[in-house]
Amino acid sequence: MMRAHTVSQVREAESVLLARLPQDALMHRAAHGLAHAVLDLLGSAYGRRVLLLVGSGDNGGDALHAGAVLARRGVQVSAWLLSERAHERGLAALQRAGGRVVTGPPDPAPDLVVDGIVGIGGRPGLKPAAREAIAAVAGIPIVGVDLPSGVEADTGETTGAPGDHVEAMLTVTFGTLKVAHLVDPAATAAGSVHLVDLGLDLPEPAAEALQPRDVAGLLPRPDLHAQKYTRGVVGIRAGSATYPGAGLLSVAGAACGLVGMVRYVGDESVLDAVRAAHPEVVGEGRVQAWVVGSGSGDGVAETLSAALADDVPTVVDADALQHAPRGRADAILTPHAGELSRMLDVERAAIEAQPLVHARQAAEEYGAVVLLKGRRTLVVHPDGRVRVGTTGTPWLATAGAGDVLGGVVGALAAAGLAPYDAASVGSWLHGAAATLASQEGPIVAGDVARALPRVVGDLLAGAGMEQSSA
């Protein structure tokens, strides 16, 4: 599990550790980890050129001490001080190692820039001197120190203004991931993230991201005496004569093998198409979970009401979201930013700028699990727990992909996973299946559904290998 913590959690853990360590010991640990990550990125040391952009705080101190390590390895290190104050011991260490102070971008240009402007305590946005410095090194790869400067650590927010935050190729962070490493838009600005362990004793995380082993551990498995009903039955109420594809794709996601049976209830013309594509799908009857809303059209309120009357977990998607129930802990709401903006009566731009804030608001207001779709999908429990989906590919931005996702999540809920687990595991599988199907090329939603059994099989095979070798 990838775990991310807030600034206050990190600072409290650091203060406990610092009380037992000599002055600057923690900073030296961080600086050595940063320096080695920079060397790995450079590929060599001697004769390479690195520019440090240095702010006034400890973040700048990390960069200066790392610069001293690099200089001792043969790197030509320059420090551009963006404040009248700099970390004195860090600056002295850099200069003793042969580094130099500059007042602008050096000539010749550096091979790499280290962003030590602002640390985890910074607010969204950059001061004018920092914006000018970032503009002056445009086109040169940047390594962020702890976070790319100009983002908010606890929410992943930026100002949204061009040039008002750093766009890093790599971010080297210390002790633990911060929420901004997982949550967009800051996660995009962070690039790849490398964690340097500092030995912190940390509390429960503020956000987490499932990894393959976590997903494998949560996947439902049939036991030796399983039969189709005990494995779970998921019902699909999606699609219409106007939008038959939504029903077909919702069924395709649900029929990935994770449950014993899929039922389709809806327009007869869609049912005929579903049976032609998925002859194993049956009609109305008892279910352990429902998927409702995608392409349902005008009758969606009645369709959702009928599903909710069964008192089973219900995935509420697309058209049904405008009638989403409140206070149903077994509901899973799956909006994209536009749908969530209507649910909360706020502008879509506000959702996109503050996805975590608004996903949490929706989970609290509706009393349900909220799955906010996006590059980094957010799954938020009403009690405040957050999981971030880190799988997927830009090719997944294709019509019908959300229909497949709803089917997968519904199948997992029918198989017995709690709504929070069903939503987060379903999101992970959906993104991983898209990546497998894509192979870095274009896909359509049906490709994602067809790749799901392979992804599940690979996960279970990997988990079996781990168990057999333990």
Side-chain angles (χ1 to χ4, degrees), residues 185-247:
T188 300
S192 300
V193 179
H194 173 72
L195 175 62
V196 176
D197 186 15
L198 298 180
L200 301 179
D201 185 10
L202 292 156
E204 286 298 306
E208 58 189 14
L210 298 178
Q211 299 300 287
R213 181 181 297 185
D214 307 312
V215 176
L218 288 167
L219 281 173
R221 296 167 168 79
D223 62 34
L224 291 175
H225 304 289
Q227 41 98 345
K228 60 189 176 185
Y229 295 108
T230 62
R231 290 190 60 208
V233 181
V234 60
I236 307 295
R237 293 177 179 266
S240 60
T242 306
Y243 302 107

Side-chain angles (χ1 to χ4, degrees), residues 142-170:
I142 297 178
V143 174
V145 179
D146 220 357
L147 280 176
S149 294
V151 308
E152 214 284 334
D154 287 348
T155 64
E157 295 170 25
T158 68
T159 67
D164 212 20
H165 65 267
V166 169
E167 295 279 354
M169 172 184 287
L170 170 72

Side-chain angles (χ1 to χ4, degrees), residues 30-420:
H32 276 81
L34 172 60
H36 287 291
V38 168
L39 287 170
D40 286 344
L41 192 59
L42 288 171
S44 61
Y46 189 76
R48 304 305 294 271
R49 296 180 296 275
V50 169
L51 172 64
L52 313 176
L53 299 180
V54 181
S56 60
D58 286 347
N59 189 257
D62 293 333
L64 290 165
H65 278 295
V69 176
L70 293 170
R72 289 195 294 269
R73 293 289 297 270
V75 178
Q76 298 176 26
V77 182
S78 302
W80 184 354
L81 307 183
L82 301 178
S83 171
E84 294 180 358
R85 294 184 296 111
H87 191 277
E88 291 183 4
R89 294 183 297 280
L91 182 57
L94 176 67
Q95 291 176 321
R96 284 196 303 271
R100 64 190 182 115
V101 174
V102 297
T103 57
D107 186 20
D111 300 300
L112 186 145
V113 173
V114 174
D115 161 31
I117 303 171
V118 183
I120 59 175
R123 299 286 184 180
L126 294 171
K127 292 182 179 179
R131 286 199 299 271
E132 291 169 9
I134 294 302
V137 298
I140 301 172
I142 297 178
V143 174
V145 179
D146 220 357
L147 280 176
S149 294
V151 308
E152 214 284 334
D154 287 348
T155 64
E157 295 170 25
T158 68
T159 67
D164 212 20
H165 65 267
V166 169
E167 295 279 354
M169 172 184 287
L170 170 72
T171 295
V172 180
T173 194
F174 313 117
T176 180
L177 297 182
K178 286 67 181 180
V179 175
H181 294 128
L182 296 180
V183 175
D184 275 336
T188 300
S192 300
V193 179
H194 173 72
L195 175 62
V196 176
D197 186 15
L198 298 180
L200 301 179
D201 185 10
L202 292 156
E204 286 298 306
E208 58 189 14
L210 298 178
Q211 299 300 287
R213 181 181 297 185
D214 307 312
V215 176
L218 288 167
L219 281 173
R221 296 167 168 79
D223 62 34
L224 291 175
H225 304 289
Q227 41 98 345
K228 60 189 176 185
Y229 295 108
T230 62
R231 290 190 60 208
V233 181
V234 60
I236 307 295
R237 293 177 179 266
S240 60
T242 306
Y243 302 107
L248 281 167
L249 290 168
S250 296
V251 168
C256 59
L258 291 170
V259 287
M261 182 183 293
V262 179
R263 297 185 183 276
Y264 179 80
V265 179
D267 188 275
E268 282 297 321
S269 64
V270 181
L271 179 58
D272 291 341
V274 165
R275 285 174 172 164
H278 301 278
E280 71 279 7
V281 174
V282 298
E284 192 163 1
R286 291 187 62 185
V287 301
Q288 280 74 56
W290 281 108
V291 179
V292 182
S294 184
S296 293
D298 295 337
V300 69
E302 292 77 14
T303 299
L304 177 59
S305 179
L308 293 172
D310 283 344
D311 283 327
V312 297
T314 302
V315 178
V316 183
D317 190 24
D319 297 333
L321 287 166
Q322 60 187 314
H323 307 287
R326 294 177 185 263
R328 284 288 298 253
D330 59 352
I332 304 169
L333 315 182
T334 61
H336 54 58
E339 290 161 339
L340 187 59
S341 73
R342 292 188 288 274
M343 292 168 65
L344 297 177
D345 193 24
V346 300
E347 293 295 325
R348 177 174 185 147
I351 304 291
E352 293 171 340
Q354 299 178 300
L356 180 56
V357 168
H358 290 98
R360 280 175 165 157
Q361 179 186 344
E364 182 178 353
E365 284 190 15
Y366 283 85
V369 169
V370 171
L371 186 160
L372 176 57
K373 292 177 276 196
R375 188 191 80 96
R376 289 288 174 92
T377 292
L378 300 177
V379 178
V380 183
H381 193 281
D383 66 11
R385 284 177 287 164
V386 177
R387 283 182 179 156
V388 185
T390 57
T391 59
T393 167
W395 294 109
L396 186 52
T398 186
D403 305 334
V404 174
L405 173 61
V408 177
V409 173
L412 289 163
L417 268 64
Y420 184 62

Side-chain angles (χ1 to χ4, degrees), residues 391-398 429-452 454-455:
T391 59
T393 167
W395 294 109
L396 186 52
T398 186
L429 293 175
H430 185 250
T435 300
L436 176 65
S438 169
Q439 298 295 304
E440 300 185 0
I443 53 173
V444 295
D447 298 329
V448 179
R450 286 185 287 274
L452 282 164
R454 169 73 180 278
V455 169

